Amino acid sequence: QGGAVRAPGAFPPAACCPDWMAGLPDALPLSRLSIPGTHDSLSLFGGRRLRCQSWGLEAQLAAGVRFLDVRCKLERGELRVYHLCTFQRASLRGVLRRTLRFLRAHPGEAVLMRIKEELPFFSRPGFAARLQRCLLEEGRGRLWCREEVPTLGQARGKIVVLEALEQAVLGIPYEQLSISDAWNVLSLERKWARARRHLEAAAGGDPAKMHLTFCSGNGLFTCPEEVARFVNPRCYRHLRRRSGQAVRWGVVIMDFPGAGLLRLIVDSNAPWASGSITEAPGTPTAPRWRRGRALRAVPLGPVSPVALPAPRVRRKTSVSLGKKRGRSSRVAPRSLRVTAA
C-alpha cells in the first residue's frame, strides 16, 4: 500500500521530510517540481462528511507537504478558516504565522498557499480588502504575491500565494493554472481516471505551466475518506511505476496523505539535485541551503478524501494595495508588492 487513512490527530506522520527542497537548484522554477499538497488543509472537524485531514498544520509541513489549501470566511472583521459551514478553530493570521514559523526554522523550503473565500454565493464586500491587509501585516516581505511563477531560489523562505478572488490579484492567478479538480464524485473509477490523465499531462506538459491535480473528492453517496481510500492507493501504484526517474507530477493534492505516497512525490525531484540544471543569465538567485536530513518514510498505503472545491471564477479587474485598476486579459501580468507597513 502507498498511504493510510487515520482518525483525526490519532498518529503523527510516519515520515519526516522538513528540508526536502533544500538540496534542489535555485534556478528550478516551482512549475518544474513535484509537490505534495493537501486539500482543505485545516479541515480537521465536522465529521466524516467534512473532515479531510488527520494531521495538523505543523505535522503536514514536517511530513513534506508544500501546498496548503486554506478556505476562509470574513466574520466580525477576522478571516476565519472554514470548511463549508464548519469553523475549523483557526484564523488565516494564525495559519500564516505558523507557516512562517516553520519557514524560519527551514529557510531552504517554500510553501504554496491557495487562499479562497469559502462558499462565496455572494462575496463579502470587505473580503479582498481584509485579505490584502492580513497579507501586508503578517507577510513582512516573506510572501510571494506576484503573478509570475518564481524559481525555487526566489521562493525560499516564503509563502507563495495562489489567489482565487473575483476582483483582486494577490498572487499567482489560480484559474490560469492547469487544474484537475473533479470534486463531485459520482464514480470512484471515473474520479481516479481523470486524476491519472492529469498527472500524465503534467508529466509530459509545458514545464513552465503549473499543474495541480486534486486526488480528493466528495459526493452525495460518498465522503472524502472513502474517496481517499480508493484513489490514494491507485495514485501510489501509478507513481511507483516511474520511481527513480525525474518526473514532474506537478502539485499532487490529497486528503489524509500517507507517508509512502508523500515520499514517492518528493523523491521524483531527486534527480534534479545532481545539479544538471544551470541558471539562466539574469535569473535572480538566493543563497544555497544545505540539504536537511530526512527520516526514511515507511510505505503506509494510500491517502484519503478531499473537500468541496471552489467554483471557477472569472476575474474582470485586478487590485493593487490601495486602489483598483482596469485590466484586460491580454495585458501582460503585473506584480503586486507586499511589504511591511
Side-chain angles (χ1 to χ4, degrees):
Q1 289 185 334
V5 179
R6 303 286 190 185
F11 300 97
C16 190
C17 307
D19 297 292
W20 67 265
M21 288 178 162
L24 299 177
D26 287 339
L28 200 59
L30 294 188
S31 59
R32 298 288 295 269
L33 294 176
S34 299
I35 298 175
T38 50
H39 163 263
D40 246 308
S41 305
L42 280 295
S43 184
L44 297 167
F45 308 100
R48 284 184 86 242
R49 299 297 304 175
L50 294 181
R51 189 177 69 239
C52 296
Q53 304 303 328
S54 56
W55 301 334
L57 176 60
E58 286 79 8
Q60 292 181 36
L61 293 171
V65 169
R66 294 294 177 267
F67 171 94
L68 300 174
D69 178 24
V70 183
R71 319 289 181 96
C72 303
K73 288 184 181 182
L74 180 59
E75 286 189 342
R76 295 189 287 274
E78 183 181 14
L79 293 173
R80 298 185 174 186
V81 179
Y82 270 80
H83 182 190
L84 297 181
C85 296
T86 301
F87 177 50
Q88 297 301 320
R89 309 179 193 179
S91 68
L92 179 60
R93 285 186 183 274
V95 171
L96 290 172
R97 290 172 184 175
R98 292 159 67 188
T99 305
L100 289 171
R101 188 182 307 127
F102 170 83
L103 289 170
R104 282 194 294 272
H106 305 277
E109 305 300 292
V111 175
L112 293 155
M113 185 180 292
R114 179 200 182 190
I115 304 174
K116 169 192 174 291
E117 185 176 9
E118 182 71 327
L119 282 180
F121 294 120
F122 300 99
S123 183
R124 295 290 297 272
F127 183 87
R130 179 60 61 175
L131 177 55
Q132 288 175 313
R133 180 176 175 180
C134 184
L135 295 177
L136 176 67
E137 293 175 350
E138 298 298 335
R140 301 191 176 277
R142 301 186 63 208
L143 302 183
W144 180 273
C145 291
R146 302 176 186 176
E147 294 186 46
E148 65 269 18
V149 176
T151 64
L152 184 53
Q154 291 172 315
R156 291 193 197 275
K158 296 183 177 69
I159 296 173
V160 178
V161 177
L162 308 179
E163 56 78 25
L165 303 177
E166 287 190 7
Q167 296 183 338
V169 176
L170 301 176
I172 299 172
Y174 181 77
E175 76 276 9
Q176 293 181 15
L177 308 177
S178 177
I179 302 167
S180 174
D181 188 5
W183 64 267
N184 189 10
V185 178
L186 299 176
S187 163
L188 292 171
E189 289 82 3
R190 284 198 294 271
K191 166 64 188 178
W192 164 237
R194 291 187 63 170
R196 184 183 65 241
R197 285 196 298 270
H198 198 258
L199 288 169
E200 289 304 317
D206 180 1
K209 192 175 187 67
M210 190 172 286
H211 288 66
L212 279 65
T213 304
F214 283 81
C215 294
S216 55
N218 208 337
L220 183 61
F221 304 107
T222 187
C223 68
E225 184 176 332
E226 290 180 359
V227 175
R229 288 186 183 278
F230 185 90
V231 173
N232 292 344
R234 287 162 176 79
C235 184
Y236 176 85
R237 291 193 291 269
H238 183 73
L239 270 57
R240 188 173 58 181
R241 294 190 185 100
R242 299 177 68 175
S243 178
Q245 303 177 33
V247 183
R248 189 278 298 265
W249 297 116
V251 184
V252 185
I253 303 163
M254 304 158 283
D255 288 336
F256 305 106
L261 183 49
L262 291 175
R263 172 60 76 179
L264 272 179
I265 298 167
V266 167
D267 282 353
S268 65
N269 298 296
W272 296 118
S274 64
S276 58
I277 294 182
T278 58
E279 280 143 353
T283 301
T285 60
R288 296 260 179 187
W289 303 97
R290 295 182 62 188
R291 182 184 305 221
R293 297 181 62 189
L295 302 181
R296 182 169 182 172
V298 180
L300 291 182
V303 180
S304 24
V306 115
L308 300 179
R312 287 291 182 88
V313 296
R314 293 185 180 180
R315 179 185 298 102
K316 296 181 180 178
T317 60
S318 60
V319 169
S320 64
L321 290 178
K323 65 179 182 178
K324 296 182 180 179
R325 67 176 185 269
R327 181 188 181 197
S328 164
S329 60
R330 297 179 181 272
V331 176
R334 302 181 183 180
S335 64
L336 182 148
R337 296 173 61 86
V338 174
T339 58

